[in-house]
Amino acid sequence: MTTMESGGCSDEVLVECLAAIDELLARPFPPTCHDDATESGGPNHHVRVLRASHDFWDDIGGEAWHRADAELRTCLDALGAEFTTRWGDPFDVDLWSYLIAGYEGAEVPDPLDLLSQLAVSMRVWSLADRGRWLGLTVGQGDTELPLELLAVVGRTPVPAPSVPAGA
């Protein structure tokens, strides 16, 4: 994981993130769940923090949060462009619906349970030939905590895509 300095998503950061994601895609899933400061996983998933902002305890007006969010989303978009070239167009998964389902007592599998507590949506690419999917999102555990660019690798089936309004 890298902590953000300033600016957008440099070529160096992009290469570092791509290497981390390629390593996650190649790694076997662990037999039991684990969790540490930058990574968690279980029998069907890996979640890694690719980049993190500083915390926001002293960000009274929210300016630092908005800058950090824009920087992380720039990296997400750059990574997304690379993955779209590799695997085609992604789709969005509405994580909010998984959060609501969990609050209503439904069993929400990991990593969707974790992700729904950190982010509203996730961009997903299906890698059916590998029996996996890849997701990218920007999330935050609480308003004072750092924003994080998260990479998620899950075992298929792929989470349900969001249904467009009016469909």
Side-chain angles (χ1 to χ4, degrees):
M1 171 189 70
T2 58
T3 302
M4 293 171 21
E5 301 298 325
S6 64
C9 192
S10 70
D11 288 343
E12 180 181 328
V13 168
L14 185 59
V15 166
E16 181 181 307
C17 290
L18 288 168
I21 292 168
D22 286 338
E23 187 269 326
L24 279 182
L25 287 167
R27 184 192 299 174
F29 294 111
T32 59
C33 292
H34 70 89
D35 192 7
D36 65 36
T38 61
E39 191 170 307
S40 65
N44 295 311
H45 71 283
H46 299 292
V47 179
R48 181 177 290 172
V49 177
L50 298 174
R51 298 200 73 207
S53 69
H54 296 286
D55 64 47
F56 300 101
W57 291 101
D58 298 324
D59 187 31
I60 305 303
E63 292 174 26
W65 185 94
H66 287 288
R67 274 193 313 275
D69 183 60
E71 289 177 23
L72 289 175
R73 291 191 187 282
T74 297
C75 282
L76 187 150
D77 289 342
L79 290 166
E82 173 66 27
F83 299 139
T84 297
T85 299
R86 289 184 190 184
W87 303 305
D89 290 331
F91 59 89
D92 289 332
V93 171
D94 174 18
L95 296 170
W96 179 255
S97 62
Y98 289 101
L99 181 67
I100 297 302
Y103 281 142
E104 292 175 349
E107 186 71 28
V108 178
D110 279 326
L112 298 173
D113 184 41
L114 167 69
L115 295 169
S116 71
Q117 297 173 49
L118 301 173
V120 179
S121 66
M122 173 175 58
R123 215 176 288 177
V124 174
W125 290 263
S126 176
L127 291 79
D129 60 328
R130 298 184 191 192
R132 296 176 178 223
W133 54 269
L134 169 68
L136 294 175
T137 191
V138 173
Q140 184 178 28
D142 204 347
T143 56
E144 299 85 7
L145 297 177
L147 283 163
E148 299 172 325
L149 174 59
L150 302 165
V152 185
V153 174
R155 189 184 314 268
T156 52
V158 178
S162 303
V163 177

